[in-house]
């Protein structure tokens, strides 16, 4: 089995391709190695159209020969031939540093696989369905089988899409042994329950199984002769596909008139039982209707109980016992209804009828429960006695039904023209701006208010008065009396305002004291106090002021005020 | 003077007609789409609605109609794509919710990234309100907050304080949600698988290893975008590349 099939050394660039063998059957794997000496390169396998390629990763190795180191990068691939014949692995382009190098083409002889019933294959797969021409809604079994006569490992199963079917895989995967043409195989089965949901020609795509086969080493290695002794083996990968399966799904025939089709497709029975047929008024008796069989039993809905109007009915939640099995879904569903008569008499509970589609006969079938005759006698319990039990009320059975969808569809279009109004998204910058505007407005208003707010302290008021009086004094058309009075008010207001007190008059000595208190030196304080005295004396003496004197007094007062209100 | 008035009047009339012409044309196209839908001509309905989208009509109800038309046309992938786009604009629309949930029952794959129900309860406003609603609520609460603060400071009324705290909390919640929505829209992209079946591969080439298979309508998260391919994440452990034509970003 030691086989080094083809080792094709390419040009001086150091690119070569090697396969582990050049003879194989369809579906059997061939290991391909592309080796790049000296560095990295991009391998393009798009030209391998006759093979399915699977990358197995890459590895690198370093060698040192006579002091010189060299590096190899090895890309591993698995090739699966897609057809029989003399195939060629073409020259594989490898791009190294922008330059394309090619490996040498390799010829591979691919033979057809022997037939499955020949027993010559080591491993193969099959698939079939229990009924290739089912009705819409009829359940069928899809069975995938793996036959292996050699040890397999790392099996990866990819089920078909089952387009047009509702599919559920049965959890139990079974294995058994079988003999094919004198050779023993292990058969592993994977089953799916399929229910076609539409009529017409449907195709179940191939199922794919990737499996590793444990085989003796084929590639020559140093001391490979020891492999046989030690029983060493290596894994080869195979991709196995089943054949596609054509299924012709038949539509259900027209429903029989006058009957309500239950939607059940398969094979079903209906039965009913009543725990008491002789009851008293107010007592309850339970009618249990059981629908059993195989098919879409889970879709069975509660039958309508044809009870006389003298009965109150209380439906219980249905009890379902449904199992998926090798024959599909089967089981039963029990619908219990409590019947409480309110009038004595003889009554008949009419049969419950069920119409389902029988897949064996290919026709709708009507089945029914037997009728029940119920005798209702007057209650022996007097009303007064009943009152005794009213202290412990019993929760009556729920009258409400769980609402289920009876059909599925989408809600209609929005036909209003508001569907044409653009719904533009607010850009983030506008959002940020809208958030910032109230903050900015708040800050601006607050600043303005602070600026506009007047200082109503005595010092501020007196300073304002001083300035106003000085302005009045500076007016050219004032009389001497008004002029002097204004200067007096100016000085008094400025001095008192500096002290932070209100007032309208000061003597020259008080003025001097006040000025000394605020830190003026004695000369300045005395000078300003003398100015106040001078103004006052001019005012009381009634002497005429010439222009120069007025200007002098005004200037001295202005300087004092400027210093005091600074 | 009379001639001048006549000219001006004609010009105004002409401008008015020119402005309303596209709107009338859109309305006609929309009516044609709904009419085709009623008549069971789903491809014609899709073409009409898509032409409106191509003209820039960005409306949740229009996207809902497109989802309906695609679903009737048995194109589950595009149906769920447009329903998902509509949900971003009108998440609280009950008809849309109903149809979207119904379409989800038709998908073959389980939901990949499942959102925690606890998160949906704790941050219910994020899931129940559209992005636009969250933004405007944040703006309105913010405006109310600063007005209330102004009143509180100017009138010095202590009674207003609890109200201001409540408004501030609402402002914080909705502003943070709006910002999160912006970031999420920018950073987190989702896509919907369009064809019946898509092979998710380890690379761009058709010969690259098929990692897993997804089916029409499955919602995946887009983690990277290349020129021709999208790197998608179905679940934490299932990541791979698909062609851009096989999955469209919501």
């Amino acid at each position: 089995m030691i086989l080094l099939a083809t080792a094709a050394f390419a040009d001086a660039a150091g690119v070569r391709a090697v396969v582990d063998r050049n003879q194989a059957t369809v579906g059997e794997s061939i290991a391909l190695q592309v080796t790049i000496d000296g560095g990295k390169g991009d391998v393009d396998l798009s030209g391998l159209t006759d093979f399915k390629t699977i990358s197995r990763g890459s590895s690198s190795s370093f060698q040192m020969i006579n002091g010189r180191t060299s590096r190899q990068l090895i890309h591993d691939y698995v090739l699966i031939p897609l057809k029989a014949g003399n195939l060629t692995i073409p020259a594989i382009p490898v791009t190294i540093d922008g330059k394309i190098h090619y490996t040498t083409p390799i010829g591979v002889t691919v033979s057809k696989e022997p037939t499955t019933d020949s027993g010559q294959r080591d491993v193969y797969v099959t698939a079939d369905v229990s009924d290739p021409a089912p009705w819409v809604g009829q359940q069928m079994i899809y069975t995938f089988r793996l036959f292996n006569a050699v040890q397999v490992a790392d099996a990866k199963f990819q089920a078909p899409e089952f387009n047009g079917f509702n599919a559920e895989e049965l959890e139990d995967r079974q294995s058994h042994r079988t003999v094919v043409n004198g050779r023993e195989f292990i058969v592993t089965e994977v089953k799916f329950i399929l229910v076609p949901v539409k009529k017409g020609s449907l195709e179940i795509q191939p199922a794919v199984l990737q499996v590793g086969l444990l085989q003796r080493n084929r590639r020559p290695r140093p001391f490979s002769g020891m492999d046989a002794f030690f029983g060493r083996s290596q894994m080869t990968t195979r991709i196995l596909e089943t054949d596609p399966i054509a299924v012709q799904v038949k539509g259900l025939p027209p429903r029989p008139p006058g009957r309500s089709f239950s939607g059940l497709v398969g094979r079903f029975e209906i039965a009913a039982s009543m725990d008491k047929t002789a009851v008293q008024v107010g007592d309850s008796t339970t009618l249990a209707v059981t629908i059993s069989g195989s098919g879409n039993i889970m879709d069975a809905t509660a039958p309508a109980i044809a009870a006389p109007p003298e009965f109150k009915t209380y439906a219980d939640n249905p009890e379902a016992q449904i199992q998926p099995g090798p024959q599909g879904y089967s089981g039963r569903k029990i619908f219990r209804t409590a019947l409480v008569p309110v009038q004595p008499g003889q009554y008949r509970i009419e049969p419950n009828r069920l119409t389902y589609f029988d897949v064996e006969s290919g026709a709708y079938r009507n089945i029914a429960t037997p009728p029940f005759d119920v005798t209702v006698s007057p209650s022996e319990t007097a009303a007064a006695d009943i009152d005794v039990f009213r202290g412990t009320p019993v929760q009556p059975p729920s009258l409400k039904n769980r609402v289920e969808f009876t059909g599925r569809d989408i809600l209609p279009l929005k036909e209003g023209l508001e569907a044409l109004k653009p719904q533009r998204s607010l850009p983030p910058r506008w959002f940020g701006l809208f958030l910032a505007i109230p903050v900015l407005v708040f800050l601006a208003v607050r600043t303005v208010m602070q600026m506009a707010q007047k200082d109503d302290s005595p010092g501020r008021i007196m300073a304002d008065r001083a300035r106003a009086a000085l302005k009045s004094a500076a007016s050219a058309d004032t009389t001497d009396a008004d002029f002097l009075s204004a200067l007096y008010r100016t000085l008094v207001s400025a001095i008192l305002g500096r002290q932070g007190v209100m007032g309208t008059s000061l003597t020259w000595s008080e003025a001097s004291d006040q000025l000394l208190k605020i830190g003026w030196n004695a000369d300045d304080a005395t000078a300003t106090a003398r100015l106040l005295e001078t103004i006052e004396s001019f005012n009381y003496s009634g002497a005429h002021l010439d222009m120069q004197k007025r200007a002098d007094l005004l200037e001295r007062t202005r300087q004092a005020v400027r210093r005091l209100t600074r | 003077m009379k001639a001048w008035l006549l000219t001006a009047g004609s010009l105004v009339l002409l401008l008015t007609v020119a402005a309303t012409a596209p709107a009338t044309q859109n309305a006609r196209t929309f009516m044609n789409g709904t009419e085709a839908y009623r008549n069971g001509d789903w491809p014609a309905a899709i073409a009409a609605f898509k032409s409106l989208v191509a003209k820039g009509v960005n409306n949740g109800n229009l996207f809902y109609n497109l989802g309906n038309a695609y679903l009737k046309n048995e194109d589950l992938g595009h149906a769920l794509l447009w329903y998902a786009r509509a949900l971003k604009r009108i998440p609280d629309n009950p008809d849309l919710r109903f149809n979207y949930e119904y379409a989800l029952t038709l998908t073959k794959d389980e939901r990949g990234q499942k959102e925690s129900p606890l998160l949906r309860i704790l941050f219910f406003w994020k899931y129940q309100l559209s992005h636009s609603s969250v933004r405007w609520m944040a703006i309105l609460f913010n405006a109310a907050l600063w007005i209330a603060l102004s009143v509180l400071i100017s009138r010095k009324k202590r009674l207003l304080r609890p109200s201001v705290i409540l408004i501030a909390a609402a402002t914080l919640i909705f502003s943070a949600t709006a910002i999160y929505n912006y970031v999420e829209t920018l950073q987190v992209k989702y896509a919907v698988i369009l064809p019946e079946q898509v092979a998710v591969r380890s690379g761009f080439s058709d010969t690259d290893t098929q990692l897993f298979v997804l089916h029409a309508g499955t919602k995946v998260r887009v983690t990277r975008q290349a020129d021709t391919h999208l790197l998608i994440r179905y679940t934490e452990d299932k990541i791979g590349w698909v062609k851009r034509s096989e999955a469209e970003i919501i």
Side-chain angles (χ1 to χ4, degrees), chain A residues 439-455:
Chain A
V439 184
L440 296 174
V441 170
F442 172 81
L443 293 175
V445 169
R446 187 166 166 75
T447 305
V448 169
M449 283 175 67
Q450 280 181 342
M451 289 173 68
Q453 197 172 25
K454 288 187 176 177
D455 186 356

PDB file of all heavy atoms in Angstrom, chain A residues 439-455:
ATOM      1  N   VAL A 439     -30.381  74.566  27.387  1.00  0.00           N
ATOM      2  CA  VAL A 439     -29.312  74.859  28.342  1.00  0.00           C
ATOM      3  C   VAL A 439     -28.739  76.245  28.064  1.00  0.00           C
ATOM      4  O   VAL A 439     -28.542  77.051  28.985  1.00  0.00           O
ATOM      5  CB  VAL A 439     -28.198  73.788  28.234  1.00  0.00           C
ATOM      6  CG1 VAL A 439     -27.137  74.041  29.285  1.00  0.00           C
ATOM      7  CG2 VAL A 439     -28.778  72.404  28.383  1.00  0.00           C
ATOM      8  N   LEU A 440     -28.495  76.513  26.792  1.00  0.00           N
ATOM      9  CA  LEU A 440     -27.918  77.812  26.431  1.00  0.00           C
ATOM     10  C   LEU A 440     -28.874  78.952  26.764  1.00  0.00           C
ATOM     11  O   LEU A 440     -28.471  79.995  27.279  1.00  0.00           O
ATOM     12  CB  LEU A 440     -27.560  77.827  24.937  1.00  0.00           C
ATOM     13  CG  LEU A 440     -26.471  76.828  24.521  1.00  0.00           C
ATOM     14  CD1 LEU A 440     -26.296  76.826  23.010  1.00  0.00           C
ATOM     15  CD2 LEU A 440     -25.156  77.170  25.216  1.00  0.00           C
ATOM     16  N   VAL A 441     -30.156  78.727  26.456  1.00  0.00           N
ATOM     17  CA  VAL A 441     -31.152  79.758  26.763  1.00  0.00           C
ATOM     18  C   VAL A 441     -31.201  80.011  28.263  1.00  0.00           C
ATOM     19  O   VAL A 441     -31.243  81.152  28.733  1.00  0.00           O
ATOM     20  CB  VAL A 441     -32.547  79.335  26.227  1.00  0.00           C
ATOM     21  CG1 VAL A 441     -33.631  80.259  26.746  1.00  0.00           C
ATOM     22  CG2 VAL A 441     -32.531  79.335  24.702  1.00  0.00           C
ATOM     23  N   PHE A 442     -31.158  78.911  29.031  1.00  0.00           N
ATOM     24  CA  PHE A 442     -31.199  79.041  30.480  1.00  0.00           C
ATOM     25  C   PHE A 442     -30.008  79.864  30.970  1.00  0.00           C
ATOM     26  O   PHE A 442     -30.162  80.797  31.770  1.00  0.00           O
ATOM     27  CB  PHE A 442     -31.179  77.638  31.102  1.00  0.00           C
ATOM     28  CG  PHE A 442     -31.027  77.625  32.592  1.00  0.00           C
ATOM     29  CD1 PHE A 442     -32.116  77.838  33.418  1.00  0.00           C
ATOM     30  CD2 PHE A 442     -29.783  77.406  33.172  1.00  0.00           C
ATOM     31  CE1 PHE A 442     -31.966  77.821  34.789  1.00  0.00           C
ATOM     32  CE2 PHE A 442     -29.635  77.389  34.537  1.00  0.00           C
ATOM     33  CZ  PHE A 442     -30.725  77.601  35.367  1.00  0.00           C
ATOM     34  N   LEU A 443     -28.834  79.529  30.480  1.00  0.00           N
ATOM     35  CA  LEU A 443     -27.629  80.238  30.927  1.00  0.00           C
ATOM     36  C   LEU A 443     -27.664  81.709  30.507  1.00  0.00           C
ATOM     37  O   LEU A 443     -27.284  82.597  31.283  1.00  0.00           O
ATOM     38  CB  LEU A 443     -26.383  79.555  30.365  1.00  0.00           C
ATOM     39  CG  LEU A 443     -26.108  78.157  30.915  1.00  0.00           C
ATOM     40  CD1 LEU A 443     -24.927  77.525  30.199  1.00  0.00           C
ATOM     41  CD2 LEU A 443     -25.854  78.206  32.426  1.00  0.00           C
ATOM     42  N   ALA A 444     -28.142  81.961  29.286  1.00  0.00           N
ATOM     43  CA  ALA A 444     -28.194  83.345  28.800  1.00  0.00           C
ATOM     44  C   ALA A 444     -29.160  84.185  29.642  1.00  0.00           C
ATOM     45  O   ALA A 444     -28.841  85.309  30.055  1.00  0.00           O
ATOM     46  CB  ALA A 444     -28.612  83.347  27.331  1.00  0.00           C
ATOM     47  N   VAL A 445     -30.326  83.619  29.897  1.00  0.00           N
ATOM     48  CA  VAL A 445     -31.333  84.369  30.674  1.00  0.00           C
ATOM     49  C   VAL A 445     -30.810  84.643  32.076  1.00  0.00           C
ATOM     50  O   VAL A 445     -30.962  85.738  32.627  1.00  0.00           O
ATOM     51  CB  VAL A 445     -32.652  83.560  30.711  1.00  0.00           C
ATOM     52  CG1 VAL A 445     -33.626  84.159  31.709  1.00  0.00           C
ATOM     53  CG2 VAL A 445     -33.271  83.529  29.320  1.00  0.00           C
ATOM     54  N   ARG A 446     -30.165  83.625  32.628  1.00  0.00           N
ATOM     55  CA  ARG A 446     -29.653  83.797  33.994  1.00  0.00           C
ATOM     56  C   ARG A 446     -28.577  84.890  34.041  1.00  0.00           C
ATOM     57  O   ARG A 446     -28.562  85.709  34.961  1.00  0.00           O
ATOM     58  CB  ARG A 446     -29.088  82.458  34.453  1.00  0.00           C
ATOM     59  CG  ARG A 446     -28.670  82.444  35.902  1.00  0.00           C
ATOM     60  CD  ARG A 446     -28.439  81.019  36.371  1.00  0.00           C
ATOM     61  NE  ARG A 446     -27.742  80.969  37.632  1.00  0.00           N
ATOM     62  CZ  ARG A 446     -28.283  81.239  38.816  1.00  0.00           C
ATOM     63  NH1 ARG A 446     -29.575  81.574  38.869  1.00  0.00           N
ATOM     64  NH2 ARG A 446     -27.590  81.177  39.939  1.00  0.00           N
ATOM     65  N   THR A 447     -27.724  84.894  33.046  1.00  0.00           N
ATOM     66  CA  THR A 447     -26.665  85.922  33.001  1.00  0.00           C
ATOM     67  C   THR A 447     -27.258  87.321  32.863  1.00  0.00           C
ATOM     68  O   THR A 447     -26.863  88.257  33.560  1.00  0.00           O
ATOM     69  CB  THR A 447     -25.728  85.631  31.811  1.00  0.00           C
ATOM     70  OG1 THR A 447     -25.257  84.306  31.940  1.00  0.00           O
ATOM     71  CG2 THR A 447     -24.551  86.594  31.801  1.00  0.00           C
ATOM     72  N   VAL A 448     -28.234  87.428  31.971  1.00  0.00           N
ATOM     73  CA  VAL A 448     -28.873  88.734  31.764  1.00  0.00           C
ATOM     74  C   VAL A 448     -29.552  89.200  33.031  1.00  0.00           C
ATOM     75  O   VAL A 448     -29.460  90.375  33.418  1.00  0.00           O
ATOM     76  CB  VAL A 448     -29.881  88.642  30.592  1.00  0.00           C
ATOM     77  CG1 VAL A 448     -30.744  89.881  30.521  1.00  0.00           C
ATOM     78  CG2 VAL A 448     -29.142  88.437  29.281  1.00  0.00           C
ATOM     79  N   MET A 449     -30.227  88.256  33.689  1.00  0.00           N
ATOM     80  CA  MET A 449     -30.928  88.631  34.922  1.00  0.00           C
ATOM     81  C   MET A 449     -29.940  89.090  35.989  1.00  0.00           C
ATOM     82  O   MET A 449     -30.188  90.049  36.716  1.00  0.00           O
ATOM     83  CB  MET A 449     -31.744  87.451  35.445  1.00  0.00           C
ATOM     84  CG  MET A 449     -33.028  87.220  34.674  1.00  0.00           C
ATOM     85  SD  MET A 449     -33.895  85.756  35.210  1.00  0.00           S
ATOM     86  CE  MET A 449     -34.368  86.216  36.849  1.00  0.00           C
ATOM     87  N   GLN A 450     -28.809  88.406  36.047  1.00  0.00           N
ATOM     88  CA  GLN A 450     -27.807  88.797  37.039  1.00  0.00           C
ATOM     89  C   GLN A 450     -27.253  90.176  36.728  1.00  0.00           C
ATOM     90  O   GLN A 450     -27.040  90.998  37.620  1.00  0.00           O
ATOM     91  CB  GLN A 450     -26.679  87.779  37.047  1.00  0.00           C
ATOM     92  CG  GLN A 450     -27.041  86.538  37.835  1.00  0.00           C
ATOM     93  CD  GLN A 450     -25.894  85.538  37.851  1.00  0.00           C
ATOM     94  OE1 GLN A 450     -24.984  85.626  37.028  1.00  0.00           O
ATOM     95  NE2 GLN A 450     -25.971  84.582  38.750  1.00  0.00           N
ATOM     96  N   MET A 451     -27.059  90.407  35.433  1.00  0.00           N
ATOM     97  CA  MET A 451     -26.524  91.711  35.045  1.00  0.00           C
ATOM     98  C   MET A 451     -27.537  92.819  35.294  1.00  0.00           C
ATOM     99  O   MET A 451     -27.183  93.936  35.676  1.00  0.00           O
ATOM    100  CB  MET A 451     -26.114  91.689  33.579  1.00  0.00           C
ATOM    101  CG  MET A 451     -24.881  90.846  33.325  1.00  0.00           C
ATOM    102  SD  MET A 451     -24.536  90.680  31.586  1.00  0.00           S
ATOM    103  CE  MET A 451     -24.081  92.362  31.199  1.00  0.00           C
ATOM    104  N   ALA A 452     -28.799  92.462  35.049  1.00  0.00           N
ATOM    105  CA  ALA A 452     -29.832  93.486  35.173  1.00  0.00           C
ATOM    106  C   ALA A 452     -30.229  93.752  36.627  1.00  0.00           C
ATOM    107  O   ALA A 452     -30.821  94.776  36.937  1.00  0.00           O
ATOM    108  CB  ALA A 452     -31.071  93.056  34.371  1.00  0.00           C
ATOM    109  N   GLN A 453     -29.896  92.797  37.473  1.00  0.00           N
ATOM    110  CA  GLN A 453     -30.329  92.948  38.861  1.00  0.00           C
ATOM    111  C   GLN A 453     -29.608  94.141  39.518  1.00  0.00           C
ATOM    112  O   GLN A 453     -28.388  94.260  39.448  1.00  0.00           O
ATOM    113  CB  GLN A 453     -29.991  91.675  39.617  1.00  0.00           C
ATOM    114  CG  GLN A 453     -30.732  91.547  40.922  1.00  0.00           C
ATOM    115  CD  GLN A 453     -30.506  90.178  41.538  1.00  0.00           C
ATOM    116  OE1 GLN A 453     -29.497  89.531  41.261  1.00  0.00           O
ATOM    117  NE2 GLN A 453     -31.460  89.754  42.320  1.00  0.00           N
ATOM    118  N   LYS A 454     -30.366  95.056  40.150  1.00  0.00           N
ATOM    119  CA  LYS A 454     -29.756  96.257  40.732  1.00  0.00           C
ATOM    120  C   LYS A 454     -29.234  95.965  42.132  1.00  0.00           C
ATOM    121  O   LYS A 454     -29.833  95.227  42.887  1.00  0.00           O
ATOM    122  CB  LYS A 454     -30.788  97.378  40.803  1.00  0.00           C
ATOM    123  CG  LYS A 454     -31.115  97.941  39.443  1.00  0.00           C
ATOM    124  CD  LYS A 454     -31.995  99.153  39.584  1.00  0.00           C
ATOM    125  CE  LYS A 454     -32.252  99.782  38.226  1.00  0.00           C
ATOM    126  NZ  LYS A 454     -33.158 100.930  38.321  1.00  0.00           N
ATOM    127  N   ASP A 455     -28.106  96.655  42.410  1.00  0.00           N
ATOM    128  CA  ASP A 455     -27.556  96.523  43.750  1.00  0.00           C
ATOM    129  C   ASP A 455     -28.291  97.516  44.637  1.00  0.00           C
ATOM    130  O   ASP A 455     -28.204  98.734  44.464  1.00  0.00           O
ATOM    131  CB  ASP A 455     -26.064  96.843  43.687  1.00  0.00           C
ATOM    132  CG  ASP A 455     -25.390  96.579  45.017  1.00  0.00           C
ATOM    133  OD1 ASP A 455     -26.111  96.227  45.979  1.00  0.00           O
ATOM    134  OD2 ASP A 455     -24.162  96.723  45.089  1.00  0.00           O
TER     135      ASP A 455
END
